[in-house]
Each structure stands twice: as C-alpha cells, then as structure tokens.
Amino acid sequence: EFLRAMGHLLEVPLTLSFTLHSRLHVGPTNRISLHEAVVAAIEAGDAPAAGAASLALLQEVGRKVEDIVSSTNASAEAVQNSL
C-alpha cells in the first residue's frame, strides 16, 4: 500500500525529470564536458572554484529548463488557440 502511494506521488516528478533530460540532450557522451570545469577545480583542490563552477553549471541547466518549459507552454497555447 505504501509503495503504491509513493509510486503515484513520484510519477509526475520522475516523468518531468526524464522529459527534461531527453530535451536537454544530456547523455553519457556529453555529461563529462558539462562538468569539466567542476572536475578540473576539484582536481586542483580549489574548493571556491569548484563551487563557482557548480553554480554556473546549475544556472546554465536552469536556463535551458526555462527555455524548454517556455517552448512547451507556447506550443500548448498555440494548440489551444487553434481549437
């Protein structure tokens, strides 16, 4: 019973996560390049630079997610207006 309830609860965020990842084109081939600055800073032992690189990475992903959500909303509005 508990697992069924949790499954329903997690279905939407997991679906959204998979959809965003597929639209962001984040796959095994480009994950390393996305995190290159973070890894380089960690290897250099530079915690502030690693933090800054992590923040920059998250901000860039956030911008891409906003673009995806905006384009999805625009598409949905266009379909709605055509009805």
Side-chain angles (χ1 to χ4, degrees):
E1 187 78 23
F2 173 75
L3 292 177
R4 185 174 302 135
M6 290 304 294
H8 292 297
L9 180 67
L10 295 174
E11 182 178 359
V12 171
L14 287 174
T15 301
L16 178 60
S17 174
F18 292 135
T19 300
L20 289 173
H21 274 86
S22 66
R23 290 234 180 122
L24 286 170
H25 305 291
V26 176
T29 57
N30 68 352
R31 274 193 201 119
I32 298 298
S33 64
L34 290 172
H35 295 82
E36 191 171 355
V38 177
V39 172
I42 292 169
E43 286 177 338
D46 188 345
S54 297
L55 182 59
L57 171 65
L58 291 172
Q59 288 172 333
E60 178 62 24
V61 170
R63 282 190 290 277
K64 289 181 180 182
V65 168
E66 287 175 3
D67 290 345
I68 291 168
V69 170
S70 293
S71 69
T72 301
N73 287 342
S75 296
E77 285 178 21
V79 169
Q80 188 117 3
N81 290 336
S82 70
L83 299 176

